[in-house]
Structure formats: structure tokens, C-alpha cells
Amino acid sequence: MTKRSVTFNHNPLLAKGLPVWRPRVVLLALLCGSFALVARAGYLQGVNDDFLQAKGESRYARVIEIPATRGKITDRHGTVLAASTPVKSIWAIPGDAKLTPADARKLAGLLDMDVRDLNHRLGKDGDFVYLKRQVPPEVAERVAEMKLAGIHEQREYRRYYPGAEVMSHLLGFTGVDDHGQEGVELAYDSQLNGKPGSRRVIKDRRGQIVEDVESIRTPQEGKDIALSIDAKVQYLAYTALQSAMETHRAKAGSVVVLDARSGEVLAMVNAPSYNPNNRESLTGAQLRNRAVTDTFEPGSVLKPIIAAMALESGKFRFDTVIDTGNGRMTVANATISDTKPHGRLTVAEVIQKSSNVGTVRMAMTFKPQEMWQVYDEMGLGASMQLGFPGEASGRLRPASTWRPIEQATMAYGYGVSASLMQLARAYLVFARDGEMIPVTLTRSEAPPQGGRRVFSAQTVRETRAMMEMVTQTGGTAVHGQVPGYRVAGKTGTSHKLEGAQYTSKYIASFVGLAPVSDPRLVVAVMIDEPSGKQYYGGQVAGPVFSRVMAGALRALSVPPDAPVTPMQVARGKEEAVASRERM
């Protein structure tokens, strides 16, 4: 025992001494570390206490977003067309939501959800999941009464449209996040959509707000938009269009009403329509705003433009006689024909009878570039810059590509396409004594700017007199007359082009203005594929024009001008025009 102890004490490793500096360095390091911890603690608690305060607040304080109210959309008189109403969205923290089977079934029933879908959502990873967006306040209250852990509610807004189907294509709609998806809602989304604010609150362990601490940023409410639309005129146009659709069993239709003095859109309706408050089972055909997105070959609606060109050039006068022969004309091995032989017609009668042959004989006296220039100035083939989503520009090919037969057919509305809104705007030239002005969807107090002259005032007055004859006895649109008012316009009946072939389907149209003595309104009507026995523009679209124009003139308190008596066209041009201007 003693021997082992002596051997152990004389171990060479233990006999080796440690350096004197080592324990001193270790002691110094420990002292420095202690001083650093004390200094750090003193700094955090005495100088920079925000750090510890922030860490503490992170356990119970939250910054929540305050949604901004989307701006209202009103008509020109202040009638609300679209407004946001408060709703609730139900959301959950999956990790905190431990629902019993009975609670899950009850919650799914309140939210109109399948219980398997609810359990699937609650089983996801993460700290946030929506269970149901935009539920009615009463449903949210019943959910809150269940006091389920991890289930919360959030205030949001849902758009409501009082006009429903009447305003649907014009206004469009918003999505669940209250951002515009179609129509005016999309076109003016940046103005309508406000900027959300935020506030700091204190929440308990169940996520319930127990104290509102402070407001960080005040929400900026969205800007209200006053449209140029007149709700009464819009309703008149919608009911008239719906009636015509049912009577003629048509596929679709559109009506546009413009204020000739300001270029404001007073009405824009389409059919088929939809209810933006309930968008289940919608189809693409229902969503299209055909008045601005769909183009078609307008047919004879373009003939007054050719007549105005003829008068403006001095090559023709109001009473210049054109021989239409037996109603057939050959251009480059192609035959152009009228519905029946008219023989010799004055320029005014060419428009009144809607003679293709007479119109082509006038048009072929111009170079293609001259005709293209006028069509371009009338706004054909170019975007209107209306700001509406999906706005179509139509088709007007360069004059250098025109063949003689193409120039001939373009004279009576084939080979060129336009939207109904473009045609309505083009007719502003005939309502404003030759001046073209921009069209607007918003209410305007100032006179229209950016107008340009296309024809002289005298030319337009004479052309307007021809268009007035269209609605009188012997014209193609006697059903377009409006009792108590002088009306001018032009019918259009065109075969539909499908692929590269013209079909036996038709598009019936009518564009006109009133009162002739002092034009106030332009109304354009298009009926797509009327399937009854009647399909001509005067028979199908003319009555719609008459009904809309009559109601709109009364709604705007436009005084009637005296009833018109049939005009004797055989008289000289100056005498005829002067007589008509006195009526």
C-alpha cells in the first residue's frame, strides 16, 4: 500500500508545474465576461430598453390592418350604382383550432361548407387559413358565439349593385379582395380602391383583442366616381332591349345612348345579362360587354358617310339623280344588287331607299385613300380611348390594299368592322354639324375638348335631311319614328361572317339622332341573330330605337319639335333643305 503511494506521488506528469500566467488569464477572462454581461444588462435596462420592451410586446401585441372602404359609383344625378357593405371573413390558426367532431359539424353548417373541407383546412400547416370569405354579419355572430379556440373573424367589405342586371356590363364587379375584375370597377380600380390603415392592439392567449393601443396609419377611403350614365335612361334601354330579344328570339343585343352636346354616355346595355350580386354559373357570353368589345360589319349604317362625302366634294347635290338601273351592278366580275329595282334615284332617295348600287356609284368616284381618310376621321378602325376594359378598335385596312370590289362593298358596310359604341360616336358628326368629339363615361361639367371637323355644317344638315327621310313613308325605318319629334337615322342589315364565309344569319342595327332641329341624343341599337320572320334593321332595331329615344327625350325634358310631313324630294336641293330646316 505504501509502495503504491510512493510510486503515484512521484508520477512525472504531476511533478511538472503549471505556468504562473495561465490562471491569471483565466481569471481575467471571467472578470471581463462578467463585466460585459453587467454592462449589457445595464445598457438594455437603463439606456436602450426598447429591445426588451419589443420582445415583451411581441408576446401579446399585434399590428392589424384596417381595411379602407372602396369608393361608391354613382350615376350623373348621384344615384348609387355600386357601394361596399361590411361583411366578415372567418379565419383560423390551425395549430390552435382543436375542434370536437360536433363543433366541426356545427361550424361547417354555419359556413355552408363540407365538414371534410373544413377539417382539411384546419389540418394545414401554418398560422393562418381562411375558412370562409365574405359571410353575412349574422352568420359571423353565430360563429363568434361558439367561442372556438383558434377561430377568428376579420372585417371586410363586399360590393353591392342595386341595379343588378341593368348595370352589370357597365359596372362589372369586384373579387373577394374588393379589387375590380370587370367594367368600370376595373377601369377605375386605382381611384376607387383606397389605401388600408393599421393599428396596434393587445390580444390574449386565445387571440381575442383586449385593448386597442394606438392607430399607426389612418386608412384612406377610396374616391367616389360619378359616371355620365343616367339611371333612368339606362333602365329604359335595358327594358326595350329585353323586349326585342324576346320578341325576335335573338342571340344577343346592345344599346348605346350618347349626349350629342357633351359626348357623355347616358346608357350602355347588353343582353344576355347577369346579376353581379350573384355570379354563380356565369358564362363568357354573359360577361361580354358587346357594345365595346364585339365588332361586326355594320352594313348600310355607313351609307350616310358616303352621301356626306359626295356632297362635300361638290360632285353631287341633294337632288342629283343616280341611275341604279335594274338594281344590279358589276364591279370586277362581282355583282352588287339592291333588294329590288329602284331605277333613277336622287342622292337623298339613295339613302332613303338604302340602295347599294346608288351608294357604290357615289363611292367609286373617290380614290381609296380619300374614302379611307374620311372613315378614319369618323373613328373607324381606331380605339376610342374610352378606358373600358377589352375595348375593340374594329377593322379598317390600309387603302393601299383595297381592290375595287372591296372599296365598293365598304361603301355599304361590308369589309369593315366596328363596335356599336364606335358607330354611335361616328354619328355624333351628324348630330353636331360635322364636328367629332371624344366620348366619355364620367360626368363632365366642362364643354367637350379635342373636337375636330370632318364635314361642313351645310353638308351635315343636308345629310341629316336625307336620314330623316329614312324614318318617313317610303323609307326603311318607319318604325323608328318618335311621336312629337323629328328623327333622323339609318338602318343596317348585314349577313354574319363566320370564318371566311357569310351565313344566312343576320345582324340588324339602327343608329339615329333626335330632335333633328337641334340634335340632343344619339341612339345606336344592334340585335344579333334575330331568328323570327323579321330580320331587317328597320323591323327589328327600329322599334327599339323609337322606344329608347322617346323615353330618353322625355326623361331629359327635351322639348318636342313639330311633327314632320312627308317631303317632296323632286324640288331643288336648296329649297328642300330650307323647307326641312323650317319644320
Side-chain angles (χ1 to χ4, degrees):
M1 185 70 178
T2 303
K3 186 177 180 179
R4 289 181 180 178
S5 178
V6 171
T7 303
F8 177 80
N9 290 335
H10 288 83
N11 190 307
L13 296 175
L14 295 176
K16 187 175 181 180
L18 295 174
V20 177
W21 57 268
R22 182 177 291 184
R24 295 175 181 176
V25 170
V26 172
L27 178 61
L28 181 62
L30 292 174
L31 289 174
C32 289
S34 299
F35 282 128
L37 289 176
V38 172
R40 178 63 175 170
Y43 174 76
L44 292 177
Q45 297 188 37
V47 180
N48 184 20
D49 58 352
D50 293 340
F51 176 78
L52 295 179
Q53 184 72 21
K55 289 297 183 181
E57 288 183 355
S58 66
R59 272 54 175 182
Y60 59 84
R62 296 289 186 273
V63 175
I64 62 175
E65 184 179 274
I66 307 174
T69 305
R70 189 174 177 86
K72 297 190 295 293
I73 302 176
T74 67
D75 80 340
R76 63 186 304 105
H77 301 299
T79 302
V80 176
L81 306 180
S84 294
T85 57
V87 292
K88 297 291 182 68
S89 287
I90 307 300
W91 62 279
I93 302 175
D96 295 344
K98 307 297 182 183
L99 275 61
T100 65
D103 286 338
R105 288 192 296 270
K106 183 177 180 180
L107 180 60
L110 288 174
L111 300 180
D112 194 22
M113 297 175 61
D114 186 279
V115 68
R116 290 173 295 184
D117 182 27
L118 176 64
N119 289 329
H120 174 70
R121 291 171 184 257
L122 294 177
K124 292 182 177 180
D125 295 331
D127 297 329
F128 182 92
V129 62
Y130 276 118
L131 300 181
K132 188 79 172 184
R133 302 290 299 273
Q134 297 186 349
V135 301
E138 58 272 16
V139 174
E141 289 179 7
R142 296 181 63 184
V143 172
E145 290 172 358
M146 295 181 66
K147 298 182 179 179
L148 300 174
I151 307 299
H152 311 280
E153 64 180 38
Q154 174 180 311
R155 185 178 183 181
E156 293 184 329
Y157 291 94
R158 182 179 181 180
R159 209 65 164 162
Y160 175 63
Y161 303 94
E165 292 89 348
V166 178
M167 299 286 180
S168 58
H169 291 105
L170 171 70
L171 299 178
F173 53 84
T174 60
V176 292
D177 294 319
D178 216 22
H179 286 283
Q181 303 293 310
E182 294 283 348
V184 170
E185 293 279 25
L186 177 57
Y188 296 92
D189 186 63
S190 60
Q191 299 179 49
L192 291 166
N193 195 40
K195 296 181 179 180
S198 60
R199 61 190 175 110
R200 183 176 287 108
V201 299
I202 294 177
K203 291 187 176 183
D204 61 17
R205 61 183 299 273
R206 295 174 59 88
Q208 306 296 327
I209 297 176
V210 296
E211 183 179 352
D212 194 336
V213 179
E214 64 175 330
S215 175
I216 300 175
R217 184 176 63 252
T218 304
Q220 298 181 18
E221 307 300 346
K223 180 182 178 182
D224 295 343
I225 299 294
L227 298 181
S228 58
I229 297 296
D230 188 310
K232 293 181 180 179
V233 178
Q234 180 85 359
Y235 180 78
L236 285 169
Y238 180 79
T239 54
L241 179 61
Q242 286 294 109
S243 177
M245 292 281 291
E246 295 174 3
T247 300
H248 300 286
R249 302 193 302 277
K251 176 183 177 181
S254 301
V255 176
V256 170
V257 181
L258 300 182
D259 188 322
R261 296 179 180 176
S262 62
E264 294 173 302
V265 181
L266 299 182
M268 179 171 59
V269 298
N270 298 272
S273 188
Y274 66 95
N275 185 353
N277 299 308
N278 181 11
R279 299 189 294 274
E280 296 180 1
S281 303
L282 282 181
T283 63
Q286 288 176 291
L287 290 173
R288 291 212 314 270
N289 186 344
R290 300 171 186 270
V292 295
T293 65
D294 287 17
T295 61
F296 60 97
E297 294 184 323
S300 299
V301 170
L302 298 189
K303 289 177 180 177
I305 300 178
I306 301 300
M309 285 181 60
L311 296 178
E312 187 82 354
S313 68
K315 299 177 182 179
F316 296 84
R317 299 194 313 167
F318 187 90
D319 57 352
T320 298
V321 176
I322 300 174
D323 188 4
T324 64
N326 62 354
R328 297 174 69 84
M329 177 182 178
T330 300
V331 178
N333 298 323
T335 301
I336 294 170
S337 60
D338 289 334
T339 55
K340 63 180 181 179
H342 294 296
R344 294 169 61 83
L345 298 174
T346 64
V347 171
E349 289 173 325
V350 166
I351 301 304
Q352 181 189 32
K353 306 291 185 183
S354 196
S355 169
N356 293 338
V357 174
T359 303
V360 171
R361 291 198 182 281
M362 288 188 287
M364 298 307 284
T365 64
F366 299 99
K367 296 178 181 179
Q369 182 61 35
E370 294 174 325
M371 188 169 151
W372 181 93
Q373 183 68 34
V374 173
Y375 276 13
D376 179 65
E377 291 177 352
M378 297 288 280
L380 302 180
S383 174
M384 295 183 297
Q385 304 298 321
L386 191 60
F388 203 91
E391 178 185 323
S393 59
R395 184 184 65 165
L396 179 63
R397 294 187 294 105
S400 59
T401 66
W402 292 10
R403 295 177 298 164
I405 184 58
E406 291 173 328
Q407 180 180 355
T409 57
M410 287 184 188
Y412 56 90
Y414 281 88
V416 58
S417 65
S419 68
L420 190 66
M421 183 65 75
Q422 285 179 308
L423 295 176
R425 183 185 63 170
Y427 268 58
L428 286 176
V429 171
F430 299 121
R432 294 182 57 85
D433 288 344
E435 183 188 24
M436 169 68 77
I437 60 173
V439 173
T440 178
L441 275 172
T442 55
R443 183 176 179 180
S444 176
E445 300 292 346
Q449 303 294 325
R452 65 177 185 273
R453 180 156 296 281
V454 180
F455 299 116
S456 67
Q458 180 61 26
T459 293
V460 169
R461 292 191 187 103
E462 295 180 12
T463 306
R464 205 155 59 212
M466 300 179 194
M467 294 162 62
E468 186 175 4
M469 293 169 58
V470 173
T471 64
Q472 297 175 352
T473 303
T476 59
V478 291
H479 296 296
Q481 295 179 1
V482 177
Y485 294 91
R486 295 170 54 193
V487 174
K490 187 68 188 75
T491 57
T493 308
S494 58
H495 288 274
K496 289 192 69 174
L497 183 64
E498 295 184 353
Q501 299 292 328
Y502 286 102
T503 67
S504 58
K505 302 173 184 177
Y506 294 91
I507 291 181
S509 58
F510 186 91
V511 186
L513 53 92
V516 172
S517 58
D518 184 15
R520 176 64 189 278
L521 297 177
V522 171
V523 175
V525 181
M526 182 276 291
I527 306 294
D528 186 9
E529 292 188 24
S531 58
K533 294 182 179 180
Q534 297 178 328
Y535 57 85
Y536 285 113
Q539 299 171 326
V540 177
V544 180
F545 167 87
S546 175
R547 183 174 172 182
V548 174
M549 181 63 83
L553 290 172
R554 287 194 296 268
L556 298 177
S557 301
V558 178
D561 47 357
V564 184
T565 56
M567 172 181 159
Q568 298 297 325
V569 185
R571 293 176 292 176
K573 178 184 66 175
E574 293 81 1
E575 180 184 356
V577 173
S579 175
R580 185 165 293 278
E581 291 299 323
R582 289 195 298 268
M583 293 181 181

